[in-house]
Each structure stands twice: as structure tokens, then as C-alpha cells.
Amino acid sequence: METAVEVAEPVTAPQAVLSLNNCPGTTPGQPLSKNQLKKQRKLAEYTELRKLRRERERERQKQKRREAKELGLPIRTGPSRKELKKRQVTASDSSLSVAIDLDYDDLMHERDIAKCVKQCLRIYTINRRSLHPGKLHFTGIRSNGHIHESFRKNDGWENWHVEYHFDRSHLELFEHSQLVYLTCESDKVLDKLQPGTTYVIGGLVDHNHWKGLCHQRATEAGLNTARLPLGEHVDMKTRSVLSTYHVFELLSKVAAGQDWTTAILETIPLRKGAKAKVPQGKEAEEKDTREMEHQEEQEDQVKESQEEPEPESNQLKSSEQESSSPSLNS
């Protein structure tokens, strides 16, 4: 009698959830030392007194404005707050639209989270002071998460002219066909900003611990990706990886009408050693010109050496030899 043999199907292990615990670039936490505990206490005291220091600074600024007004001096050098707010309110539909993806709450240390929120503050400032401010979205913020707690440490963050999206990512807010995730690993180059497109920038400060994660998430979600045209316009000594606010500042300048080369050179830090690329045809012409100038200089030097008069010392020696030599008539 034949018996059926059942073949057990291979059991696949569930995919591990990405976190700081399984990141290859991190080490497990250690108990805090006395020095670290002391630093934590000082940081807590500094945070408690922050509001008091801010109030004192505001009073000093008001006093300076009153003194300047009495002396007839200009009170401010830039636009007023009303003017800046008016620019943001009147932003047209054709203006730049950017979403900062902050759905990386569990993949950053406390210090990196503070840096991430600080970059968000810089992005808000750049957009606020721009002549053509765009629409700014902060997406993927987890309610009562680490990033949310870090935002709360900044007074007045709720009043920023920013669209906050808690517990909702850019995938739920926009149509996928209108999204372009900016990653340095993408094969597509962003040559021109398209109206009606929202450009997503990953708000991840990881020091290359999660290299390629933003690109991986974007491709798995079926989104279009693109990279900034850094290598097409400038030569750099280092890798073409920029911080979050540098990417936004570059997009903001290009949207305001600057060309890519000028915007990149004004935005990229000096330590990257960026220099504008010279077109191949123009580079060849400059090389030929330098060679011709060098050849002409060499020819001029040869002519000058041939036309140089005989030194006086040589003339004196020849005259002495003539006088000392006996004459033929004698």
C-alpha cells in the first residue's frame, strides 16, 4: 500500500524591522557614566532657562530698536515680518512644492534627531526669507515621537507657516505620479523643476549608517526618483551628498530663476571644493591658447638672447688681447 509523503514547505523568516538595534554601524547602549549624567543635568537646566533667556534677548532687541528710532537710524535692514508673511500667503500654485520626509523616527540617535529638527528650522527660515517662497510640508511625524518632542523644544513652532502632517506620510498625501524623491543613488538627473510636482527630501541624519535607505524606500513604493545635477555642472573633491537643508536651498534658488551652476556654487560648503565645469570645446580652445602663448614666449626669449650685446667685460678682455699681441710690422 502506497503512502503519500508530505513535503514540508520551507519556512521563511520574517523580515527584520529596521531600527538602531540591528544597524551594523551602531553599538549597543552602555550605562551612563558620571560625566554623562552631569552633562544631562546641565542640559536640562539649560533647557529650563531657555525661555527666560529668550525673553531677555527680546527686551534687548526692543531697546535697541527704540534707541535707533530716537536717533533717526533705520530700525531694520531686511523686510518686515508682515512682508515675509504676505509672501508666504500669496504663494501661487506654480511655486515650488517640497515635502520633508520625517518618517525615520526610530533610525536616529537623540543627537541626530536634534540635528534633523535644526535643519528643518533652517529650511523654514530659507523658505520664509525667499523672494518666491514655496509650499513646505513636514510629513511622517509620529505623534509624541522623538522628532515631535524635539520640535516642542522650539518656542512657536506651531505658528510656522508649514504644513505639518502627523502619522501621515507623503504616500498618503499626494498622488504617486506627482512625487519625485530626491536621492543621490538615482539614475535620473533632475535637469528642470516641473510645476505641479512635489519633491521629497529625506529627513535622515545617519552619517552613512543607512546608506541608500531613502532610495530603497522610494523604489519599493513605486515613486519616481531623481538626483541633483551636481556632477554635470561642478567638479567636487568629495562625495556628492548634501544635507537636507542644502538640497532645499538649492531647489529654492533654482526655482527663483538662478542657473544650476551658480546655485550649486553658492550653496555647497567650501570644504567640498566645488569648481564650475568648463565645456569640452571651450576647454580645448583654452588649452590651445595656452600652448600658443607658451610657444610665443619661448620664441621671444630666443630672439632676446640673440640680440643681446656682448658684455663689457668680454669687450675689455678682447681689447687687452689686441693691445698685448705683437704687430706684424714689427
Side-chain angles (χ1 to χ4, degrees):
M1 183 177 180
E2 296 182 357
T3 58
V5 180
E6 295 182 358
V7 180
E9 296 181 357
V11 179
T12 57
Q15 188 176 3
V17 179
L18 292 177
S19 66
L20 289 175
N21 295 328
N22 57 15
C23 176
T26 59
T27 56
Q30 300 292 335
L32 297 179
S33 63
K34 291 183 179 180
N35 192 21
Q36 290 174 330
L37 292 173
K38 185 178 179 181
K39 287 183 179 179
Q40 280 191 353
R41 288 194 298 269
K42 286 186 176 181
L43 180 60
E45 294 174 0
Y46 179 85
T47 305
E48 291 178 0
L49 297 175
R50 180 182 295 174
K51 291 184 178 180
L52 180 60
R53 289 195 303 272
R54 188 170 180 84
E55 290 177 1
R56 290 177 179 176
E57 180 64 25
R58 287 175 178 173
E59 288 297 329
R60 284 195 292 268
Q61 294 295 334
K62 288 181 181 179
Q63 181 64 24
K64 287 182 180 180
R65 285 195 291 269
R66 285 194 293 265
E67 293 175 357
K69 189 175 182 180
E70 292 175 358
L71 296 174
L73 299 175
I75 300 176
R76 61 174 63 90
T77 56
S80 63
R81 290 187 176 183
K82 291 183 179 180
E83 177 64 24
L84 294 175
K85 189 173 182 179
K86 184 178 179 181
R87 291 178 187 175
Q88 292 178 315
V89 172
T90 57
S92 61
D93 295 334
S94 60
S95 60
L96 178 67
S97 177
V98 175
I100 308 299
D101 182 13
L102 299 175
D103 192 14
Y104 300 96
D105 200 288
D106 294 336
L107 302 181
M108 292 185 287
H109 293 284
E110 183 179 357
R111 182 179 297 180
D112 293 335
I113 288 175
K115 291 180 180 180
C116 176
V117 173
K118 188 175 182 180
Q119 290 193 34
C120 291
L121 173 59
R122 289 189 179 184
I123 289 173
Y124 165 71
T125 304
I126 293 170
N127 189 58
R128 183 171 178 261
R129 295 188 176 276
S130 175
L131 293 175
H132 305 282
K135 295 181 179 180
L136 189 57
H137 304 265
F138 290 165
T139 66
I141 305 175
R142 300 184 186 178
S143 299
N144 300 321
H146 301 299
I147 294 179
H148 190 189
E149 291 296 330
S150 186
F151 267 115
R152 287 174 176 172
K153 296 178 182 179
N154 297 274
D155 295 335
W157 68 278
E158 308 96 333
N159 301 325
W160 294 357
H161 197 78
V162 176
E163 295 291 337
Y164 294 100
H165 304 281
F166 292 92
D167 302 317
R168 299 181 67 192
S169 68
H170 52 279
L171 300 174
E172 305 173 46
L173 298 169
F174 307 96
E175 294 184 9
H176 291 193
S177 59
Q178 297 177 351
L179 292 175
V180 174
Y181 210 117
L182 299 178
T183 63
C184 61
E185 295 86 4
S186 178
D187 297 330
K188 185 178 180 181
V189 180
L190 182 65
D191 295 324
K192 185 179 180 181
L193 300 180
Q194 299 293 337
T197 301
T198 299
Y199 297 95
V200 185
I201 306 174
L204 176 62
V205 180
D206 63 333
H207 308 286
N208 289 330
H209 289 162
W210 302 105
K211 188 176 180 180
L213 179 60
C214 296
H215 183 73
Q216 178 184 345
R217 285 189 174 185
T219 52
E220 289 177 354
L223 300 181
N224 295 322
T225 61
R227 63 174 178 86
L228 298 176
L230 301 179
E232 285 71 20
H233 294 272
V234 298
D235 292 320
M236 291 193 300
K237 298 179 181 178
T238 59
R239 296 173 60 237
S240 57
V241 179
L242 303 180
S243 60
T244 306
Y245 79 93
H246 278 142
V247 176
F248 178 83
E249 184 177 2
L250 184 55
L251 294 177
S252 179
K253 289 180 178 180
V254 173
Q258 283 191 0
D259 59 278
W260 282 106
T261 303
T262 305
I264 292 171
L265 293 177
E266 290 182 359
T267 303
I268 286 182
L270 295 176
R271 66 178 181 273
K272 290 187 175 291
K275 293 183 179 180
K277 275 193 172 182
V278 181
Q280 293 182 356
K282 189 175 180 180
E283 187 176 1
E285 291 178 2
E286 291 181 355
K287 185 178 180 180
D288 294 340
T289 304
R290 287 195 299 268
E291 291 179 353
M292 291 178 62
E293 291 177 353
H294 182 65
Q295 186 176 0
E296 290 177 357
E297 289 179 359
Q298 289 181 340
E299 293 177 355
D300 293 339
Q301 290 177 359
V302 172
K303 289 181 180 179
E304 290 177 359
S305 62
Q306 292 175 353
E307 295 175 358
E308 284 182 357
E310 188 178 1
E312 294 181 1
S313 59
N314 294 339
Q315 291 180 1
L316 291 173
K317 288 181 181 178
S318 60
S319 60
E320 290 177 356
Q321 291 176 358
E322 291 176 359
S323 61
S324 60
S325 60
S327 61
L328 296 175
N329 297 329
S330 63

